[in-house]
Amino acid sequence: MSRWWYAFAAAAPAVATAWVIGPTGEQPPVQFARPEPTRAVTAAPEERSRYASPIRYAYSPACENDPAPCSHWILVAWGGERGWLPGTDAADSLSLSPDRTHAAYLRTSDDTYVVADLRTGAVKALPVRQKGGTVSEMFGAQLPLFSLDGRHLLIQRDHLDKDDETVLENPMIVDLGTGAVRHLPAVGQAVGWTSAGLMTKTTRRTNSLPGHTTSASFTVWSPKGKVAGRFTLPGNLAAGAMPSPSGRTTATLAREITPDGVVGHGIVLTDTSTGRPRASCAGTARTPSSCRPPDLVPRWPTTSWTSPPGRRGDSTYA
C-alpha cells in the first residue's frame, strides 16, 4: 500500500473534524420545524350547582365556540367534579368561603348579591343590589369577602364617576344568618378579615417621618359595625399589609426611601390587637433569613383557591 494511502488515512479524522466544526464557506439556510399544533380534546363543563366535596379552585374561562360555559365561573372540586355555576358572570367577582362550601357573587338576572350553598345547590339572596352590575375587580372593584368563620360577608358596591374612574361606596357587613346589613362609614381600603372583625386601612401622606412618605391608620370593625380596635403603622410600613388567617398578625414588607432609592428591610409582623411589632425578619418575603424573636414568626398556610380547606391559624417556623 502506497505512502499516499497512509497519509490520506491519517488526515481523514482531521478533515472530518474540520467538516463538523470548521468554517465551510457558504452557510446553508436555516430551516425551522413547523409541527402541526395538537389540541387536547376536553369536554366542555356542564352546568352544576351541587358538589359532593369542597371546591378546590374557581376560574373564569376564555373559549371560542361554546359561549355558555365561558360566560360563567367554573368550579373544580377536590373530588374531581367540575362545572359552571349558573347565575354567575365571568366578568364579575366571585368569592369562596373559608371552608370552600359556599360562593358569594352578584347574580346576573337581577343584580342581587347572593350566597350559594355548593353542597345543596340552595341560593340565598341578600338584601343588597348592584344596579347595572359591577365594574369588575380588574378595574378596582372590591370582591365580596367572607369572614373567617363564614358567617358574615363584606360587600362594597361601586360605580363610575363622570371621568369614568371607579368609586367604591361605603362598605357593608352582611350577617348571612339573619340578613342584617351593617353600613360602615367611608374607609380607604378593605384589608381583610381578622379574628375580631373586618380590617380597613386609610393611608395619608406625611412629611414628618424622615425616609417615609405615607402613614396608615387601621381600624378593625366588629361584625355589628362597631369599632373593635385601631392602630397606626408609621411610614411605608403599612403598604401591602396582609393579615394572617387567624387575624392576630399582619405581615408587611418594610421599605425605606433613601438617596439611593427604595431599600427593603425584610418583613415586619404586627400584633393587630395592639398595633405593636411582634417580630421582624431580614431577607425577602419568599426566603426570610433571620427573624427576631424566632418563636413569633407565623407561617401562614396558603389561602389561595387551590389550597385544601382546613384550620386557619398561626404556626411557627422550625
Side-chain angles (χ1 to χ4, degrees):
M1 190 174 294
S2 68
R3 62 176 181 269
W4 294 104
W5 170 255
Y6 287 108
F8 175 78
V15 173
T17 303
W19 179 261
V20 174
I21 65 175
T24 60
E26 184 180 355
Q27 298 294 326
V30 178
Q31 296 185 2
F32 297 94
R34 298 180 180 274
E36 291 293 329
T38 302
R39 294 188 177 182
V41 179
T42 57
E46 298 179 351
E47 176 182 348
R48 180 185 291 269
S49 58
R50 298 175 60 183
Y51 295 82
S53 59
I55 301 302
R56 186 180 182 186
Y57 61 89
Y59 67 95
S60 54
C63 51
E64 300 176 356
N65 299 326
D66 193 352
C70 292
S71 60
H72 300 80
W73 279 88
I74 293 180
L75 308 183
V76 180
W78 279 97
E81 299 163 294
R82 176 171 171 260
W84 57 270
L85 187 61
T88 62
D89 187 338
D92 294 336
S93 299
L94 177 141
S95 292
L96 297 174
S97 62
D99 63 0
R100 307 296 198 273
T101 62
H102 292 75
Y105 54 91
L106 184 65
R107 187 165 56 191
T108 56
S109 60
D110 55 2
D111 292 337
T112 299
Y113 279 97
V114 300
V115 172
D117 188 333
L118 302 175
R119 300 164 299 184
T120 65
V123 177
K124 180 177 182 178
L126 304 178
V128 180
R129 298 189 64 190
Q130 172 76 63
K131 294 182 180 180
T134 178
V135 299
S136 82
E137 190 179 356
M138 178 184 300
F139 298 101
Q142 170 64 56
L143 74 163
L145 289 178
F146 283 93
S147 60
L148 299 184
D149 59 9
R151 297 170 58 186
H152 297 86
L153 186 72
L154 163 70
I155 296 178
Q156 195 167 10
R157 292 181 293 202
D158 56 71
H159 65 272
L160 296 177
D161 63 12
K162 59 182 180 60
D163 298 320
D164 290 334
E165 296 291 335
T166 300
V167 177
L168 295 178
E169 302 177 10
N170 292 4
M172 295 171 280
I173 297 178
V174 182
D175 188 319
L176 298 181
T178 65
V181 179
R182 308 287 182 179
H183 294 266
L184 303 184
V187 297
Q189 177 185 354
V191 178
W193 285 93
T194 74
S195 54
L198 176 69
M199 180 185 294
T200 63
K201 178 181 71 173
T202 301
T203 304
R204 57 179 57 87
R205 296 187 64 83
T206 180
N207 295 321
S208 60
L209 297 173
H212 301 281
T213 60
T214 61
S215 64
S217 300
F218 292 81
T219 304
V220 179
W221 303 88
S222 73
K224 293 186 178 181
K226 304 296 183 181
V227 175
R230 284 193 175 100
F231 64 93
T232 300
L233 293 183
N236 294 342
L237 201 63
M242 179 64 64
S244 65
S246 71
R248 295 191 293 266
T249 308
T250 60
T252 306
L253 292 176
R255 300 182 179 92
E256 182 180 8
I257 298 177
T258 70
D260 298 325
V262 179
V263 178
H265 296 290
I267 305 170
V268 175
L269 307 172
T270 305
D271 189 324
T272 57
S273 63
T274 64
R276 298 177 179 177
R278 299 180 62 190
S280 61
C281 305
T284 66
R286 293 180 178 272
T287 56
S289 58
S290 63
C291 299
R292 305 181 303 274
D295 58 330
L296 290 179
V297 179
R299 182 180 62 198
W300 278 259
T302 176
T303 56
S304 69
W305 285 351
T306 58
S307 64
R311 176 182 176 272
R312 286 173 166 245
D314 294 340
S315 56
T316 57
Y317 286 110

